[in-house]
Amino acid sequence: MSARPPVERLAAVAGILPSYTDQRGGKVVTSDHTRIALLEALGYDVSSEQTIARELERLADEQQDCLIEPVAVVRVGTRAAQTLRVRLPYKRIHNRHIGFTIRPEGGEAVDVEPRTLHKRSRTLVLDVPIALGPGYHTIQISAVTPSGHVTASQTRVVHAGSCMPVTDCIGERRAFGIWTNLYSVRSETNFGVGDLTDLEGLVRWASGHGAEFVGISPLHSLRNRNGDVSPYSPTSRLFNNEIYLDVTTVPEFKQCTAAQQIVRSVAFRRDLERVRSTDRIQYDDVLSLKRTVLDLLFKHFVNVHHHISTQRYDEFSAYKKRSGSDLLAYATYRALEEHCLGRGLPGDWNSWPVPLRTPESSEVSEFRSSHSDAIDFHCYTQFVLDGQLRSAAMQARSAMSIGLYGDLALGSAATGADAWAHQNLFVDGAQIGAPPDDFAADGQNWGLPPMAPTALRAARYRYWISLLRAALRHSGALRIDHVMGLFRQFWIPRGLPGSSGAYVEYPANDLLGILALESRRNSAIVVGEDLGTVPRGFQARLARWNILSSRVLYFERDRRGAFRPARQYSRRAMVTANTHDQAPLAGYSSGKDLILRHRAGAFESTERFEDEMAERSRAMQSLRQRLEVTTQSPHNEADAAQHTRAVYAFLAKTPAPLVGISLDDLAREEDPVNLPGVGHGEYSSWTRKMHGNMECLVGDAAVTRTLDDVALERSRPGKAG
């Protein structure tokens, strides 16, 4: 039992779980020390027993004074969807009238006849007289009190109870697609980093071989400098990274002589060839080249389209209006960041002059007025990014049953745009990570600030809704990284090791209900990354929401270490050989990832490295046996092309509705793009390019044979789960 029961009670109200089960099945109890640290991070005063008691009393009073919940997420057709529960503090409400107005999304407001109260009831359940279908509806309530009228409103989110089924896209067939880390793609036309024109080319090629989707790593906005390049630690998840723009296909490029001359200049071509030829992406240099062109394109856009309000400018205005305050905040942040960096100040907004740290300050308002062009520039880059991504998505949708398969990161950086613009949501003083396990004895700290569950709900989940709309706007499928984060997240207090962390519960049913609504509105299926140790029954819960699980070949082994036969794979999963966190097939076979980790000092001893290499050798022997049983022929993993073909022929036989083929595997890459837990100084994750151009890969006979084998096997009769 806790030494301080009030701390335990306040922690429970805040969602801090009392214990969790570790990887080995043991129970880990949350200490008062951890509870206090996390409660302080959430803004509670826990300095004494008296202050804790006052916090509990304040929360109870706030709950009692709240006439209706600010948001309700309910399933269509249920009793909860058709009733309104009102709290009635009897000391405040007279025996008079209470009534409400319903405004269905996109419809006319409906006034409900006021009801007279005659008793001191604590709660009142009112029937909603109109059937509310899936959507975002508003309910406004009014009541008479001794001091006058009191009003309150509720956002009522009505959903269908599950995300769009995969069968709505592919029927009972079993489909396949290709996934890639877009930044790593080489081509004869890009600027040293894969871009959205490369994505269109990949869509044309993949669809020509029968693929039903093309998956890409997150396109989230990054700083693109000083190693700040992880797509899973973005500055914003609401907007995209301008480094993916093909500046030569922006409509203004064909009209802008100055931009064309720059790109054709000897100096520019020399710099372009240099960034193309390197084995690692030079983010700073690539962005500098693209920014030179974008500055000219924006200037041309303003001069030609703004002043006479052309159709192109009207489209830009419509994009800004649709993106609303989120775009304005993001563009303001980017302009402020550049302004501060230009004056030798840090890029981290927490170190800016105090008045600039708050989006609502008068100084920020003045900055918007005096730097409107700089802010509009970042609106423009997002506008042209959206246009190029929309073009790729339309092509994918027309040629494939699913289309683009996007990826949503778990969180965003504490120093970034989202954390600056939504400071009421992000928790300062804690970071998301994972508890200790065999891989990391002290746990993992991912350096991402968590969002406070109570703040998310108080803000009516607006950020989550915006996030999903941005992620699904051009996607036919969406992968949600670390989907367990919708249920609970492991918070580590600032300055403490992972062993001092605790799980914090999130309003999963609300978050999943909104996900289900947006999934069906955008005709997009959802895949949850649920790898690693998850609570019992977790996959079944995902299945009830029509969220596909992730299944990875490397981890599909039984207790003896043997690889499972194809028939034992889940019927409700996306199956891949690996992910961005593991080595490609060729590197896994050779142990290249382990060698790189050893060079980076990730193993505590040479003996541990040798043990890991021996275990990998045993894994490869087991995989060889499984593939030989499946193909009824000898297997040699040293032949990377033959090994890739055999692995994907095996995965194609699984009953899983979706199989994702890694472009890195097709290209026989060895090096991983990421070494989890290894710092950027020891291994430059997220910068490795593919060795060959896409143009060469398209003509590779071995690649064609692999894709044709998979397409043939997936077309055979066999019901997907």
PDB file of all heavy atoms in Angstrom, residues 633-651:
ATOM      1  N   SER A 633      12.733 -27.103 -51.750  1.00  0.00           N
ATOM      2  CA  SER A 633      14.005 -27.027 -52.468  1.00  0.00           C
ATOM      3  C   SER A 633      15.060 -26.447 -51.539  1.00  0.00           C
ATOM      4  O   SER A 633      14.738 -25.735 -50.576  1.00  0.00           O
ATOM      5  CB  SER A 633      13.873 -26.165 -53.719  1.00  0.00           C
ATOM      6  OG  SER A 633      13.512 -24.842 -53.371  1.00  0.00           O
ATOM      7  N   PRO A 634      16.357 -26.730 -51.798  1.00  0.00           N
ATOM      8  CA  PRO A 634      17.427 -26.187 -50.958  1.00  0.00           C
ATOM      9  C   PRO A 634      17.419 -24.662 -50.990  1.00  0.00           C
ATOM     10  O   PRO A 634      17.034 -24.051 -51.992  1.00  0.00           O
ATOM     11  CB  PRO A 634      18.702 -26.764 -51.594  1.00  0.00           C
ATOM     12  CG  PRO A 634      18.246 -27.948 -52.368  1.00  0.00           C
ATOM     13  CD  PRO A 634      16.869 -27.613 -52.856  1.00  0.00           C
ATOM     14  N   HIS A 635      17.854 -24.080 -49.868  1.00  0.00           N
ATOM     15  CA  HIS A 635      17.852 -22.613 -49.780  1.00  0.00           C
ATOM     16  C   HIS A 635      19.232 -22.112 -49.386  1.00  0.00           C
ATOM     17  O   HIS A 635      19.886 -22.673 -48.499  1.00  0.00           O
ATOM     18  CB  HIS A 635      16.827 -22.136 -48.752  1.00  0.00           C
ATOM     19  CG  HIS A 635      16.749 -20.646 -48.643  1.00  0.00           C
ATOM     20  ND1 HIS A 635      16.178 -19.862 -49.613  1.00  0.00           N
ATOM     21  CD2 HIS A 635      17.210 -19.794 -47.680  1.00  0.00           C
ATOM     22  CE1 HIS A 635      16.269 -18.591 -49.253  1.00  0.00           C
ATOM     23  NE2 HIS A 635      16.900 -18.528 -48.087  1.00  0.00           N
ATOM     24  N   ASN A 636      19.655 -21.037 -50.029  1.00  0.00           N
ATOM     25  CA  ASN A 636      20.949 -20.425 -49.742  1.00  0.00           C
ATOM     26  C   ASN A 636      20.750 -18.934 -49.526  1.00  0.00           C
ATOM     27  O   ASN A 636      20.604 -18.178 -50.489  1.00  0.00           O
ATOM     28  CB  ASN A 636      21.930 -20.678 -50.891  1.00  0.00           C
ATOM     29  CG  ASN A 636      23.262 -19.983 -50.661  1.00  0.00           C
ATOM     30  OD1 ASN A 636      23.624 -19.658 -49.519  1.00  0.00           O
ATOM     31  ND2 ASN A 636      23.995 -19.749 -51.746  1.00  0.00           N
ATOM     32  N   GLU A 637      20.749 -18.504 -48.263  1.00  0.00           N
ATOM     33  CA  GLU A 637      20.498 -17.094 -47.958  1.00  0.00           C
ATOM     34  C   GLU A 637      21.647 -16.192 -48.378  1.00  0.00           C
ATOM     35  O   GLU A 637      21.487 -14.963 -48.416  1.00  0.00           O
ATOM     36  CB  GLU A 637      20.198 -16.888 -46.475  1.00  0.00           C
ATOM     37  CG  GLU A 637      21.323 -17.269 -45.541  1.00  0.00           C
ATOM     38  CD  GLU A 637      21.243 -18.712 -45.099  1.00  0.00           C
ATOM     39  OE1 GLU A 637      20.476 -19.492 -45.720  1.00  0.00           O
ATOM     40  OE2 GLU A 637      21.934 -19.066 -44.139  1.00  0.00           O
ATOM     41  N   ALA A 638      22.805 -16.773 -48.694  1.00  0.00           N
ATOM     42  CA  ALA A 638      23.918 -15.948 -49.175  1.00  0.00           C
ATOM     43  C   ALA A 638      23.612 -15.338 -50.532  1.00  0.00           C
ATOM     44  O   ALA A 638      24.187 -14.310 -50.903  1.00  0.00           O
ATOM     45  CB  ALA A 638      25.199 -16.787 -49.245  1.00  0.00           C
ATOM     46  N   ASP A 639      22.729 -15.963 -51.281  1.00  0.00           N
ATOM     47  CA  ASP A 639      22.254 -15.391 -52.543  1.00  0.00           C
ATOM     48  C   ASP A 639      21.083 -14.469 -52.192  1.00  0.00           C
ATOM     49  O   ASP A 639      19.948 -14.918 -52.028  1.00  0.00           O
ATOM     50  CB  ASP A 639      21.810 -16.506 -53.488  1.00  0.00           C
ATOM     51  CG  ASP A 639      21.361 -15.994 -54.851  1.00  0.00           C
ATOM     52  OD1 ASP A 639      21.028 -14.789 -54.962  1.00  0.00           O
ATOM     53  OD2 ASP A 639      21.301 -16.800 -55.796  1.00  0.00           O
ATOM     54  N   ALA A 640      21.381 -13.170 -52.065  1.00  0.00           N
ATOM     55  CA  ALA A 640      20.379 -12.231 -51.548  1.00  0.00           C
ATOM     56  C   ALA A 640      19.120 -12.193 -52.399  1.00  0.00           C
ATOM     57  O   ALA A 640      18.001 -12.101 -51.873  1.00  0.00           O
ATOM     58  CB  ALA A 640      20.988 -10.832 -51.442  1.00  0.00           C
ATOM     59  N   ALA A 641      19.259 -12.252 -53.711  1.00  0.00           N
ATOM     60  CA  ALA A 641      18.093 -12.201 -54.592  1.00  0.00           C
ATOM     61  C   ALA A 641      17.217 -13.435 -54.397  1.00  0.00           C
ATOM     62  O   ALA A 641      15.984 -13.337 -54.297  1.00  0.00           O
ATOM     63  CB  ALA A 641      18.537 -12.082 -56.045  1.00  0.00           C
ATOM     64  N   GLN A 642      17.865 -14.614 -54.323  1.00  0.00           N
ATOM     65  CA  GLN A 642      17.110 -15.844 -54.140  1.00  0.00           C
ATOM     66  C   GLN A 642      16.457 -15.880 -52.759  1.00  0.00           C
ATOM     67  O   GLN A 642      15.322 -16.331 -52.603  1.00  0.00           O
ATOM     68  CB  GLN A 642      18.046 -17.045 -54.317  1.00  0.00           C
ATOM     69  CG  GLN A 642      17.325 -18.389 -54.454  1.00  0.00           C
ATOM     70  CD  GLN A 642      17.211 -19.139 -53.139  1.00  0.00           C
ATOM     71  OE1 GLN A 642      17.844 -18.773 -52.143  1.00  0.00           O
ATOM     72  NE2 GLN A 642      16.379 -20.168 -53.123  1.00  0.00           N
ATOM     73  N   HIS A 643      17.176 -15.379 -51.754  1.00  0.00           N
ATOM     74  CA  HIS A 643      16.643 -15.344 -50.384  1.00  0.00           C
ATOM     75  C   HIS A 643      15.421 -14.432 -50.306  1.00  0.00           C
ATOM     76  O   HIS A 643      14.401 -14.800 -49.709  1.00  0.00           O
ATOM     77  CB  HIS A 643      17.736 -14.849 -49.436  1.00  0.00           C
ATOM     78  CG  HIS A 643      17.324 -14.782 -48.005  1.00  0.00           C
ATOM     79  ND1 HIS A 643      16.795 -15.855 -47.324  1.00  0.00           N
ATOM     80  CD2 HIS A 643      17.363 -13.750 -47.099  1.00  0.00           C
ATOM     81  CE1 HIS A 643      16.525 -15.510 -46.076  1.00  0.00           C
ATOM     82  NE2 HIS A 643      16.859 -14.241 -45.916  1.00  0.00           N
ATOM     83  N   THR A 644      15.503 -13.259 -50.904  1.00  0.00           N
ATOM     84  CA  THR A 644      14.371 -12.324 -50.900  1.00  0.00           C
ATOM     85  C   THR A 644      13.161 -12.937 -51.576  1.00  0.00           C
ATOM     86  O   THR A 644      12.027 -12.845 -51.077  1.00  0.00           O
ATOM     87  CB  THR A 644      14.765 -11.019 -51.611  1.00  0.00           C
ATOM     88  OG1 THR A 644      15.862 -10.420 -50.916  1.00  0.00           O
ATOM     89  CG2 THR A 644      13.601 -10.044 -51.650  1.00  0.00           C
ATOM     90  N   ARG A 645      13.394 -13.586 -52.707  1.00  0.00           N
ATOM     91  CA  ARG A 645      12.292 -14.204 -53.448  1.00  0.00           C
ATOM     92  C   ARG A 645      11.621 -15.286 -52.610  1.00  0.00           C
ATOM     93  O   ARG A 645      10.380 -15.365 -52.546  1.00  0.00           O
ATOM     94  CB  ARG A 645      12.832 -14.789 -54.750  1.00  0.00           C
ATOM     95  CG  ARG A 645      11.766 -15.341 -55.687  1.00  0.00           C
ATOM     96  CD  ARG A 645      12.408 -15.878 -56.948  1.00  0.00           C
ATOM     97  NE  ARG A 645      11.412 -16.413 -57.869  1.00  0.00           N
ATOM     98  CZ  ARG A 645      11.710 -17.060 -59.000  1.00  0.00           C
ATOM     99  NH1 ARG A 645      12.988 -17.216 -59.350  1.00  0.00           N
ATOM    100  NH2 ARG A 645      10.747 -17.527 -59.777  1.00  0.00           N
ATOM    101  N   ALA A 646      12.427 -16.118 -51.918  1.00  0.00           N
ATOM    102  CA  ALA A 646      11.870 -17.206 -51.116  1.00  0.00           C
ATOM    103  C   ALA A 646      11.091 -16.673 -49.915  1.00  0.00           C
ATOM    104  O   ALA A 646      10.012 -17.182 -49.580  1.00  0.00           O
ATOM    105  CB  ALA A 646      13.001 -18.128 -50.649  1.00  0.00           C
ATOM    106  N   VAL A 647      11.622 -15.651 -49.251  1.00  0.00           N
ATOM    107  CA  VAL A 647      10.951 -15.093 -48.076  1.00  0.00           C
ATOM    108  C   VAL A 647       9.582 -14.533 -48.452  1.00  0.00           C
ATOM    109  O   VAL A 647       8.573 -14.803 -47.777  1.00  0.00           O
ATOM    110  CB  VAL A 647      11.822 -14.010 -47.410  1.00  0.00           C
ATOM    111  CG1 VAL A 647      10.987 -13.166 -46.445  1.00  0.00           C
ATOM    112  CG2 VAL A 647      12.978 -14.631 -46.673  1.00  0.00           C
ATOM    113  N   TYR A 648       9.529 -13.767 -49.524  1.00  0.00           N
ATOM    114  CA  TYR A 648       8.242 -13.150 -49.863  1.00  0.00           C
ATOM    115  C   TYR A 648       7.268 -14.141 -50.500  1.00  0.00           C
ATOM    116  O   TYR A 648       6.042 -13.979 -50.364  1.00  0.00           O
ATOM    117  CB  TYR A 648       8.465 -11.914 -50.723  1.00  0.00           C
ATOM    118  CG  TYR A 648       8.919 -10.741 -49.856  1.00  0.00           C
ATOM    119  CD1 TYR A 648      10.229 -10.284 -49.892  1.00  0.00           C
ATOM    120  CD2 TYR A 648       8.045 -10.155 -48.957  1.00  0.00           C
ATOM    121  CE1 TYR A 648      10.653  -9.246 -49.065  1.00  0.00           C
ATOM    122  CE2 TYR A 648       8.447  -9.122 -48.125  1.00  0.00           C
ATOM    123  CZ  TYR A 648       9.751  -8.672 -48.182  1.00  0.00           C
ATOM    124  OH  TYR A 648      10.158  -7.658 -47.347  1.00  0.00           O
ATOM    125  N   ALA A 649       7.789 -15.185 -51.136  1.00  0.00           N
ATOM    126  CA  ALA A 649       6.901 -16.249 -51.598  1.00  0.00           C
ATOM    127  C   ALA A 649       6.254 -16.939 -50.398  1.00  0.00           C
ATOM    128  O   ALA A 649       5.072 -17.311 -50.429  1.00  0.00           O
ATOM    129  CB  ALA A 649       7.685 -17.255 -52.434  1.00  0.00           C
ATOM    130  N   PHE A 650       7.044 -17.085 -49.324  1.00  0.00           N
ATOM    131  CA  PHE A 650       6.523 -17.664 -48.080  1.00  0.00           C
ATOM    132  C   PHE A 650       5.468 -16.756 -47.452  1.00  0.00           C
ATOM    133  O   PHE A 650       4.371 -17.212 -47.101  1.00  0.00           O
ATOM    134  CB  PHE A 650       7.683 -17.901 -47.115  1.00  0.00           C
ATOM    135  CG  PHE A 650       7.266 -18.190 -45.706  1.00  0.00           C
ATOM    136  CD1 PHE A 650       6.767 -19.435 -45.355  1.00  0.00           C
ATOM    137  CD2 PHE A 650       7.374 -17.218 -44.718  1.00  0.00           C
ATOM    138  CE1 PHE A 650       6.378 -19.706 -44.049  1.00  0.00           C
ATOM    139  CE2 PHE A 650       6.986 -17.476 -43.414  1.00  0.00           C
ATOM    140  CZ  PHE A 650       6.487 -18.725 -43.076  1.00  0.00           C
ATOM    141  N   LEU A 651       5.779 -15.467 -47.304  1.00  0.00           N
ATOM    142  CA  LEU A 651       4.823 -14.550 -46.682  1.00  0.00           C
ATOM    143  C   LEU A 651       3.550 -14.421 -47.510  1.00  0.00           C
ATOM    144  O   LEU A 651       2.455 -14.203 -46.962  1.00  0.00           O
ATOM    145  CB  LEU A 651       5.472 -13.174 -46.485  1.00  0.00           C
ATOM    146  CG  LEU A 651       6.626 -13.104 -45.481  1.00  0.00           C
ATOM    147  CD1 LEU A 651       7.165 -11.679 -45.383  1.00  0.00           C
ATOM    148  CD2 LEU A 651       6.192 -13.606 -44.111  1.00  0.00           C
TER     149      LEU A 651
END
